[in-house]
């Protein structure tokens, strides 16, 4: 409360504001303080301006020819600050006092109490804010000063309101401010209107301006409320964008870490392979050398035995012993020479060491790219798709539905000033409309014999509905309830439809796109381009701002842009990480962007002609679970068929 009081304190007199007025610099002072401050500034009087006591910025006087004492009176009053000041001054006074029958015996007439008498209160005077007994009421009504006061019966429950605020003239202190000079936009007393404003063209009573001022304030209140709603939406958008950026940052971080881990894993594989190669070579040599050591040890033992044999032979006197010993030694020596020759031909490892390719490795690491940051920028508020957030979820489930609704396509109409969503409910074999009337949500439906799929706006209050298994395309009026108008019997099972003009529309069937007139007669069929089949299951189509047909084919994983004559303008068939898993609903915005629903990745993708990827516009984190149909209206909102609901993003 102290901070509020400080805010409502005049910077000149250091008291609560009295008749506050706000200068051009938005600083507020008491009107009398401004008048006094002007008189201390001869330079301001000379320049015919009102200087601010805070920032010294000058405010131009609308009518400087009037006396200086009236200059501050020409400044626009600060109604809001005056209201806050009045509230603060009366903060200890209750807005109303409640008197009941149970207080009759305890409350007495205060006037009689001063005379030493005890009489029960029977009336309340709003003007004097005093309770009166029957006798005092008679005197009150007889007094000329109070005979016009409003008196309320004290019986039962009486609400006693605060006394109406009376503003007295600062100059003529005994006169109440009751007039308004519209030329000077200044409240006046009667004397001021005669003395100072007699030349003004329009001086009226304040009471006569009550309705106009209330109407103006109500209009301003509505404007403020609209601005508040816009700001709230902007705040929600910014918060949604912040959350989306955080999620994008986290996702990109995980992908960078995953890419790094893959590279590290490959380096580990190379490390393992190089160590294995080293093991194979070294272990083979070690095994061979160990075999040589074993063989040498055996030979050593054998030579010891030969040495002992020779020693024994030398001490023998037999010539034959000497002869046989010599023959045996020569034969053994020859075999030893053959074995030594074999060993000398074998390659031996001289040393083992690792020579790193430092320069090459560093160059490879320097040139190594984990990837690149794919950052999409928008043109701020000028981009209608700059930041979307979930604004509303409309449930299309009716109590009469036999199954849970599954909505395949949606379009939005404005029936009068009522925005109406029209969607096909495949599971319940119907098309439904959703709208709000008298602040209450309403649903209407139109039943069919077979499931419905495509929905397209035909006019301001009419739609086309595709019923494939019945070989029908139906026209329904939207009031905003749905009413059947006409039925067209077709030669094919058409799933999705898109109106080209008042006399023709495009429709998709298995492996082809047909252009039909409004009677259902096919004028041309489009199936291939340069002997290559274009379509398999083109279940969703739309028409862009140029009158071209955009086709989403879930089996081909493609988006194809066609002219109404059947020429291919461009195709979008991405590969790799951006390949389309299950493309379904497709629509275009006022700016020509293309929005495509991909069910498997649970995303709404934004494309630009001619088939250029822009970004993932809406994802699971934004509130979608199974995006099928998608529609962008003229106001920039995006509507997504998600199970039994339509989710609106703005």
């Amino acid at each position: 409360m102290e901070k509020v009081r400080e805010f409502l304190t005049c910077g000149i007199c250091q008291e609560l504001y009295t008749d506050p007025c706000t200068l051009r610099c938005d600083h507020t002072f008491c009107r009398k303080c401004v008048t006094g401050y002007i008189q201390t500034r001869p330079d301001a009087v000379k320049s015919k301006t009102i200087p601010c006591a805070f920032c010294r910025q000058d405010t131009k006087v609308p009518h400087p020819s009037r006396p200086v004492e009236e200059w501050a009176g020409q400044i626009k009053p600060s109604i809001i600050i005056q209201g806050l000041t009045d509230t603060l001054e009366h903060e200890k006074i209750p807005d109303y006092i409640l008197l009941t029958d149970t207080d009759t015996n305890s409350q007495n007439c205060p006037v009689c109490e001063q005379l030493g008498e005890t009489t029960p209160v029977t009336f309340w005077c709003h003007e004097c804010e005093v309770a009166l007994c029957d006798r005092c009421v008679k005197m009150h009504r007889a007094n000329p000063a109070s005979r016009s006061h409003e008196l309320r019966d004290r019986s039962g429950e009486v609400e006693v309101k605060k006394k109406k605020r009376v503003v007295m003239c600062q100059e003529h202190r005994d006169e109440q401010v009751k007039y308004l000079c519209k030329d000077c936009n200044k409240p006046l007393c009667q004397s001021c209107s005669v003395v100072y404003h007699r030349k003004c063209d329009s001086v009226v009573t304040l009471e006569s301006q009550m309705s106009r001022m209330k109407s103006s304030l109500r209009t301003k209140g509505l404007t403020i409320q609209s601005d508040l709603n816009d700001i709230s939406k902007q705040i929600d958008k910014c918060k949604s964008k912040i959350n989306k950026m955080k999620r994008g940052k986290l996702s990109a971080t995980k992908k960078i870490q995953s890419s790094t881990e893959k590279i590290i894993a490959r380096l580990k594989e190379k490390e393992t392979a190089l160590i294995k190669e080293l093991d194979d070579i070294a272990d083979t040599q070690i095994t061979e050398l160990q075999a040589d050591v074993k063989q040498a040890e055996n030979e050593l033992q054998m030579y010891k035995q030969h040495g002992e044999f020779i020693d024994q032979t030398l001490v023998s006197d037999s010539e034959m012993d000497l002869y046989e010993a010599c023959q045996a030694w020569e034969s053994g020596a020859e075999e030893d020479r053959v074995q030594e020759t074999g060993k000398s031909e074998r390659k031996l490892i001289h040393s083992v060491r690792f020579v790193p390719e430092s320069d090459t490795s560093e160059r490879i690491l320097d040139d190594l790219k984990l990837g690149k940051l794919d950052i999409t920028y928008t043109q701020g508020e000028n981009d209608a798709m700059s930041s979307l957030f979930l604004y509303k979820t409309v449930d299309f489930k009716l109590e009469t539905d036999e199954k849970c609704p599954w909505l395949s396509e949606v379009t939005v109409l404005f029936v009068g000033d009522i925005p109406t969503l029209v969607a096909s409910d495949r599971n319940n074999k119907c098309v439904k409309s959703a709208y709000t009337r008298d602040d209450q949500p309403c649903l209407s439906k139109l039943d069919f014999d077979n499931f419905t799929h495509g929905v397209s706006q035909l006019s301001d209050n009419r739609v086309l509905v595709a019923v494939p298994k019945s070989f029908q395309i139906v026209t329904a009026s939207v009031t905003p309830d749905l009413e059947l108008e006409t039925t067209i019997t077709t030669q094919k099972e058409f799933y999705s439809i898109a109106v080209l003009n008042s006399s023709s529309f495009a429709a998709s069937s298995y492996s082809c796109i047909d252009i039909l007139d409004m009677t259902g007669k096919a004028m041309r069929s489009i199936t291939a381009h340069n002997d290559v089949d274009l379509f398999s299951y083109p279940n969703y189509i739309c028409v862009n701002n140029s009158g071209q047909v955009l086709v989403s084919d879930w089996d081909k994983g493609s988006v194809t842009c066609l002219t109404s004559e059947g020429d291919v303008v461009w195709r979008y068939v991405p590969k790799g990480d951006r390949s389309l898993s299950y493309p379904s609903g497709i629509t275009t915005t006022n700016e020509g962007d293309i929005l495509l629903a991909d069910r498997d990745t649970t995303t709404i993708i934004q494309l630009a002609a001619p088939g250029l990827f822009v970004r993932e516009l809406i994802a699971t984190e934004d509130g979608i679970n199974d995006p099928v149909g998608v529609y962008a209206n003229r106001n920039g909102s995006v509507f997504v068929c998600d199970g039994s609901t339509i989710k609106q993003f703005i």
Side-chain angles (χ1 to χ4, degrees), residues 271-318:
E271 174 192 26
T272 302
L274 194 58
I275 292 175
K276 185 177 183 302
E277 181 183 355
L278 175 61
D279 288 343
D280 291 344
I281 295 172
D283 290 349
T284 300
Q285 287 281 305
I286 290 171
T287 301
E288 291 176 354
L289 290 173
Q290 287 174 341
D292 290 345
V293 170
K294 185 66 175 177
Q295 182 179 353
E297 290 175 345
N298 292 335
E299 290 177 354
L300 179 62
Q301 184 65 29
M302 183 184 66
Y303 281 126
K304 287 181 179 180
Q305 293 175 356
H306 286 174
E308 293 175 355
F309 174 71
I310 290 172
D311 290 341
Q312 292 175 0
T313 302
L314 289 175
V315 297
S316 174
D317 294 334
S318 173

Side-chain angles (χ1 to χ4, degrees), residues 345-594:
E345 293 176 355
R346 187 177 64 204
K347 292 182 179 180
L348 297 176
I349 295 176
H350 179 264
S351 63
V352 177
R353 61 191 182 91
F354 174 67
V355 181
E357 296 184 7
S358 301
D359 294 340
T360 304
S361 299
E362 289 179 4
R363 186 172 62 255
I364 292 173
L365 289 174
D366 289 340
D367 296 339
L368 177 64
K369 295 184 182 296
L370 297 177
K372 66 177 182 178
L373 295 175
D374 187 3
I375 299 175
T376 305
Y377 292 94
T378 62
Q379 297 300 318
E381 295 302 319
N382 296 326
D383 184 0
M385 300 284 107
S386 61
S387 179
L388 295 176
F389 72 98
L390 181 58
Y391 173 68
K392 184 191 296 184
T393 299
V394 181
D395 193 348
F396 271 66
K397 185 172 179 58
L398 288 167
E399 292 182 358
T400 56
D401 288 341
E402 295 181 0
K403 299 180 180 179
C404 181
W406 192 83
L407 310 178
S408 55
E409 282 201 38
V410 63
T411 188
V412 181
L413 287 71
F414 282 84
V415 183
D417 58 348
I418 302 175
T420 306
L421 279 65
V422 181
S424 54
D425 183 349
R426 186 184 179 97
N427 282 353
N428 292 291
K429 301 178 182 179
C430 67
V431 62
K432 296 177 179 177
S433 67
Y435 57 94
T436 300
R437 177 175 286 163
D438 297 330
D439 296 328
Q440 295 297 320
C442 302
L443 279 175
S444 168
K445 78 169 182 174
L446 186 61
D447 292 314
F448 297 94
D449 294 333
N450 286 300
F451 72 83
T452 57
H453 189 82
V455 177
S456 180
Q457 181 174 354
L458 180 60
S459 63
D460 290 342
N461 61 344
R462 298 164 70 214
V463 294
L464 291 181
V465 182
V467 192
K469 294 301 180 182
S470 297
F471 292 84
Q472 292 177 344
I473 293 177
V474 174
T475 303
S477 62
V478 186
T479 62
D481 291 334
L482 296 169
E483 296 178 3
L484 179 64
E485 284 194 356
T486 60
T487 300
I488 301 171
T489 301
T490 61
Q491 299 298 315
K492 297 179 182 179
E493 297 179 8
F494 290 116
Y495 281 81
S496 187
I497 47 183
V499 176
L500 292 167
N501 49 53
S502 60
S503 60
S504 64
F505 62 93
S508 68
S509 184
Y510 296 111
S511 303
C512 75
I513 301 296
D514 284 3
I515 307 298
L516 301 93
D517 61 20
M518 285 302 170
T519 65
K521 179 182 178 181
M523 296 185 287
R524 69 186 62 84
S525 292
I526 306 164
T527 58
H529 178 69
N530 294 335
D531 297 328
V532 176
D533 291 337
L534 292 173
F535 313 114
S536 293
Y537 295 96
N539 287 353
Y540 294 88
I541 65 174
C542 73
V543 174
N544 66 12
N545 300 337
S546 302
Q548 298 164 337
V549 182
L550 299 174
V551 185
S552 169
D553 191 315
W554 68 264
D555 185 58
K556 295 286 188 180
S558 66
V559 174
T560 305
C561 179
L562 305 168
T563 66
S564 58
E565 300 299 320
D567 297 324
V568 176
V569 181
W570 53 262
R571 295 196 81 200
Y572 177 70
V573 192
K575 303 298 182 183
D577 293 340
R578 288 181 178 165
S579 61
L580 301 175
S581 301
Y582 196 161
S584 52
I586 190 168
T587 186
T588 60
T589 68
N590 290 338
E591 293 74 22
D593 291 317
I594 302 157

